Amino acid sequence: MAKPVIAIVGRPNVGKSTLFNKLIGERRSIVEDTPGVTRDRIFGECEWRGKNLLLIDTGGIEPKTDDIILSQMKDQAQIAIDDADVIVFMCDVRTGLTAADKEIGIMLKKSKKPVVPCINKCDRIGDLPYEYYEFYELGFECDPVAVSSVHGSGTGDLLDACLDALGDHDEGEEEDAGIRVAVLGKPNAGKSSIVNRFLGENRMIVSNIAGTTRDAVDSRVENECGTFTFIDTAGIRRQSRINDQIEKYSVLRAHMAVERADVCLIMIDASVGITEQDEKIAGIAHEAGKASIIVVNKWDTVEKDNSTVNEFTKRIRTALAYMPYAPITFVSAKTGQRVTGIYELIKSVYEQAHFRVTTGALNDVLGEATMRVQPPTDKGKRLKIYYMTQSQVAPPTFVLFCNNAELFHFSYQRYIENCLRETYGFKGTPIKLIIKQKGESPSISIPKRERRAAQSGVEELNVEEYYDIESEE
């Protein structure tokens, strides 16, 4: 289901990236006092009041500039504004209300989106600085929220204001949208053709000219398999070939489509074969943790023999070795060959991405796995894995508690992942493992019943004592 989107915008160097990092709980945006460090939009997620939110950190907006990079940053921010459900307009209390702030405020009012003014660097405890009250002059419905992005004070009030501004905006849309499916691929791979085939009409412009689709277009389909929203995206070219500015922003919208999708269809042109660019496009979905299906289109144009499918499959598996979980289907959007079968695949990988395993059952799998293959040792020290639980879905995320995180080598993590797939499938979805060392707080809540089931097979460990796990009463 689509998450509400919150875009953080403002002049350069007002603390947008610092706030973004604080809200998502990790240092993902580069933070520096030099204006213009953040150029592209950066995405992250946070949870507040039981809602998952998608945050966008943008480059600073300079309303009037001849600098090419600053001009492009402004265009990027405009895309974020267009895509956002709520806009956080960040200003700096130390510099006060500037002419640039006023111009950005006018630009945001034209968007007709809810705006939450955020006044940063209010670090002093007690009364707000006099300069804070200047920002009421911006004239937004929401009162300015005072924060300190460095210390994190006021961020809860900011998120409260954002959710209040959202209201029930996203509730109905999520229910009606069903499963959101982003269709990705190089130009002319047949993305629009396959969406037209799903829709049973020529709603998308189809042409042999690469770049016909400029925007990400949503199309809703309801049938006996369920409700689906297909997002037809612009073809993603190699960076060196993206010269046209409009096309550059089309590519950025394709990235945004991945962020709000539940499932990604990665289109590969069978007449060309899998290319390096296909690998990069598939990597976007993989890195975003999205359930994915590899769709080999134009299969009707390929001369076949008994080994064609196996050979093509082998080439795909070699090129996309990082996503062996993704199912492969061979179709023809032009003739409709095997296209309807994609619906069941979408439902299947969506369900797998949202599958949850009880903690007790997970620790049975962990116990068998460690008996079959002993955990690694280093300088006489052996890795001990005490406990495993599933913290979230889409993608399925598992937290493993151990005595020493450095001993938990990547190869053994891959082995544990393979054991999980062997037992529960998880076909079509990536799996995320989070390794927690003794003494670290996992920042998750585990039901009493499941905790007792896990502890019954755990030696030398009182889970609550070592990890301060909060129980659900």
Side-chain angles (χ1 to χ4, degrees), residues 264-276:
C264 292
L265 300 185
I266 299 159
M267 303 287 293
I268 293 173
D269 188 340
S271 63
V272 177
I274 189 160
T275 65
E276 185 180 345

Side-chain angles (χ1 to χ4, degrees), residues 4-9 80-90 104-105 107-118 139-143 158-170:
V5 179
I6 299 174
I8 305 172
V9 302
I81 290 166
D82 293 342
D83 289 333
D85 297 311
V86 175
I87 300 160
V88 171
F89 176 23
M90 200 161 189
I104 295 169
M107 171 182 165
L108 296 181
K109 284 176 182 175
K110 289 178 181 175
S111 73
K112 305 293 184 186
K113 300 286 180 74
V115 177
V116 178
C118 171
F140 291 107
E141 287 185 22
C142 178
D143 289 339
L158 178 66
L159 290 173
D160 280 339
C162 289
L163 289 183
D164 291 343
L166 264 174
D168 296 326
H169 175 269
D170 58 315

Side-chain angles (χ1 to χ4, degrees), residues 436-452:
K436 289 287 182 180
Q437 188 169 306
K438 182 169 123 178
E440 287 185 295
S441 171
S443 303
I444 58 173
S445 181
I446 301 169
K448 274 184 177 177
R449 183 182 66 258
E450 294 188 4
R451 192 171 70 253
R452 286 197 198 101

Side-chain angles (χ1 to χ4, degrees), residues 318-338:
T318 301
L320 306 182
Y322 54 84
M323 52 190 312
Y325 53 82
I328 302 172
T329 183
F330 298 84
V331 306
S332 168
K334 185 177 180 180
T335 66
Q337 181 186 17
R338 286 190 286 274

Side-chain angles (χ1 to χ4, degrees), residues 74 113 123 147 228 294 331 357:
K74 179 184 174 184
K113 300 286 180 74
D123 302 327
V147 305
F228 306 84
I294 299 165
V331 306
V357 186

